[in-house]
Amino acid sequence: MNNKRATEIKVGIVSLAAVIILIVGLVLGKGLALSSTYPVKMRFPNSGGIQLTSPVLINGVKRGSVTEVINDKGSVLITADMDNIDDIYNDATARITILEITGGKKIEIFPGSNGIKFNNNSEIIGETPADIADLVAI
């Protein structure tokens, strides 16, 4: 009987230790990223319905997501974390478009071609063309 009780205590201790290790691992691992990201700022005349975590694509390939949308100086400043900005040039432009026919928005970046690398301290100028909802409203 005493041997059974000792086994139950050992199993309980091991289980508790495993749960604590799991929680500590999740907390520490949450702050770590496998690859570095670069903040990219884009200025639009309006938000166009973009929301936090909306995807950011370069030539149709997802490369990041929106992290901040703020009103700034009569326009909207959108910040996105991008995986890589090596192929973006300083004449890049951006456009807010619909993600899918049922809703949602995305930012499509056209990387430019002038050969001068983009400095992520500067801003990409964007436009918000009319989408299906705007056309129906008109």
Side-chain angles (χ1 to χ4, degrees), residues 53-132:
T53 71
S54 293
V56 178
L57 295 88
I58 297 179
N59 290 332
V61 178
K62 184 177 179 191
R63 297 276 287 279
S65 61
V66 174
T67 57
E68 185 177 42
V69 180
I70 58 171
N71 287 320
D72 182 59
K73 301 176 186 172
S75 59
V76 176
L77 185 63
I78 297 175
T79 305
D81 281 344
M82 305 285 291
D83 294 337
N84 185 2
I85 60 170
D86 290 339
D87 58 345
I88 301 176
Y89 300 102
N90 72 348
D91 63 338
T93 59
R95 183 180 299 156
I96 295 175
T97 60
I98 60 171
L99 181 61
E100 52 195 34
I101 196 72
T102 58
K105 299 285 183 156
K106 66 179 178 182
I107 296 178
E108 182 75 41
I109 294 178
F110 303 98
S113 60
N114 70 358
I116 301 170
K117 292 289 184 185
F118 174 72
N119 178 0
N120 65 339
N121 293 326
S122 60
E123 298 173 352
I124 296 175
I125 303 300
E127 63 179 16
T128 311
D131 62 3
I132 294 172

